Structures are given as C-alpha cells and as structure tokens.
Amino acid sequence: MAKTRPGKRDLDSYTIRGTNKIVRAGDCVLMRPSDNSTAPYVALVEKIEADNRNNIKVRVRWYYRPEESMGGRRQFHGAKELFLSDHYDVQSAHTIEGKCTVHSFRNYTKLENVGAEDYYCRFEYKAATGAFTPDRVAVYCKCEMPYNPDDLMVQCEGCKDWYHPACVNMTIEQAKMLDQFLCSDCSSDNVIRKSQNTYTNSPLSNGKVEPKRRKK
C-alpha cells in the first residue's frame, strides 16, 4: 500500500455523494467519465485519503474493458468482461458514482442472474505492452475459442467437449430443444451402438446445454 503523503491523512471509508453506500479500500467502484456518453470507468480502490482542506482522493487501479486494450474486443470477450491493469491513478472521490462487484471468472459463471453491477475478470493486463496474464486459457469447440459466458454452448455426451451451435450447424433455438447431443466425431455407428447398449447405466446418457446467463 502507498505511503500517506505529507499533509494527508488516511481515511477508512468514503460515503458516495447522494447515497448511503460506503466505499473502503479493496472495493470496486464505478467512476464518472469525462464524456457522459461513455460507460462508467471501473476501478479497484487501493487507498482513500484527505488533505488539510478535506479534499478526498482515492488511489485506484484501473480495470480496462476489452475495447480499451491494444488488441481490442474479440469474439470470446463477454459483455461484462474486464482486465485488471497495472495502471494506477489518483482521482477525486467525488467522481465515484457507485459500487460494483468484479467476480472471478469461475464465480461469475455460477451466477444465476447477472446484475448491472456484476462484472468479471480472468486476465491481468499490462497497459504499456498490451501483454496479458495468463497468456493462455482453455479453448473449446471446433473454432478453438476461449469460453464466452454470454454464449450458449452444447456439450457432447460422448467426448464431453463443448460446442457453439453455429459451429455444429444448429440454430440456438434447436440447441435449446436438445435432450442429448453427440458431435460428429462421436456419432459413428460404433459409438452410437455403445451408447445405446449402456444407456440405462451411463451417467452420460443426457447431453447438457449451457444456457445464456440471464441479466437483470
């Protein structure tokens, strides 16, 4: 944590103007952009301090949206995805508009409902170089893309791989109606025969469909 500068004092918390919401170090916040037509900035609060005139400042670590990164937004980036950057800044606490939650990727995918203040992060981002950590993640489907939690996918009951409906010549509506699914590699005569012979005892007898997560 940064040291307090001369003439400054640390604060344990800050109450957002016009609300009863309390911000503390470690919280994620929405900050007002200079252009009101753009979405609020998202930041991790590192420190809260006040000067002798009681001007309150927050030291923050910025989250970047995919479109703000060097590589831009890609197909697998979810609508609520953020990158935790190494870009630190000091801002007036009065620019804080609200609080939000930045979930781990795993926890985000378990949410029953995604609210307006729910985001997720699976990468750290170096603003100067455009590098990501980790630099590799698991890929799925024939297209070999990382998982986008906004997209519906179907799971093959044979190989257990996940597929985008469009990549296996299905519409989303058709995928939602599936009781079971076998990919082209698993739908040979031998695999089908084996699946039929062990149907009553196999825990793989029911294919799975990953629904698009609901947003509030």
Side-chain angles (χ1 to χ4, degrees):
M1 181 177 289
K3 294 181 180 179
T4 303
R5 292 172 291 175
K8 306 287 184 179
R9 69 182 189 279
D10 288 347
L11 298 179
D12 292 330
S13 65
Y14 168 76
T15 302
I16 301 173
R17 274 185 171 180
T19 76
N20 59 358
K21 295 181 178 179
I22 298 173
V23 174
R24 294 182 172 86
D27 287 342
C28 293
V29 295
L30 302 169
M31 304 193 75
R32 184 171 60 254
S34 55
D35 182 356
N36 290 332
S37 65
T38 62
Y41 298 131
V42 182
L44 173 65
V45 176
E46 297 271 324
K47 187 182 182 70
I48 307 171
E49 61 183 21
D51 62 19
N52 294 331
R53 296 182 179 180
N54 209 34
N55 295 313
I56 303 174
K57 301 282 188 179
V58 287
R59 175 175 166 81
V60 299
R61 184 177 180 183
W62 293 115
Y63 282 98
Y64 279 39
R65 289 182 169 84
E67 56 269 25
E68 297 167 340
S69 68
M70 288 187 181
R73 180 172 288 278
R74 299 182 62 187
Q75 179 182 343
F76 64 88
H77 291 141
K80 308 302 291 289
E81 183 156 9
L82 301 171
F83 310 142
L84 181 61
S85 79
D86 59 351
H87 178 187
Y88 294 84
D89 204 355
V90 176
Q91 294 285 320
S92 169
H94 298 322
T95 62
I96 298 176
E97 294 185 326
K99 295 177 69 175
C100 62
T101 302
V102 181
H103 302 269
S104 69
F105 183 62
R106 181 181 295 274
N107 288 343
Y108 181 86
T109 60
K110 294 178 180 179
L111 294 178
E112 289 295 327
N113 292 285
V114 176
E117 297 175 351
D118 288 312
Y119 297 87
Y120 71 89
C121 176
R122 57 179 157 180
F123 296 106
E124 291 193 15
Y125 175 70
K126 291 189 178 298
T129 63
F132 290 94
T133 303
D135 59 0
R136 295 181 183 182
V137 293
V139 296
Y140 302 89
C141 190
K142 294 179 177 180
C143 61
E144 296 188 341
M145 295 291 284
Y147 178 48
N148 181 342
D150 296 336
D151 292 342
L152 180 144
M153 298 187 80
V154 293
Q155 186 181 33
C156 173
E157 68 178 50
C159 62
K160 298 302 181 184
D161 285 344
W162 291 86
Y163 295 87
H164 300 107
C167 295
V168 289
N169 300 315
M170 274 193 294
T171 65
I172 291 176
E173 289 71 23
Q174 289 171 330
K176 288 180 178 179
M177 295 175 65
L178 283 177
D179 290 325
Q180 56 187 18
F181 168 71
L182 284 174
C183 70
S184 57
D185 291 338
C186 293
S187 61
S188 66
D189 289 342
N190 288 337
V191 172
I192 291 175
R193 189 176 301 113
K194 181 178 179 182
S195 177
Q196 290 172 340
N197 289 341
T198 59
Y199 181 83
T200 56
N201 295 322
S202 173
L204 311 181
S205 58
N206 292 322
K208 297 179 181 178
V209 176
E210 182 85 358
K212 183 172 181 179
R213 222 159 300 282
R214 299 186 296 276
K215 294 185 175 66
K216 292 180 181 177

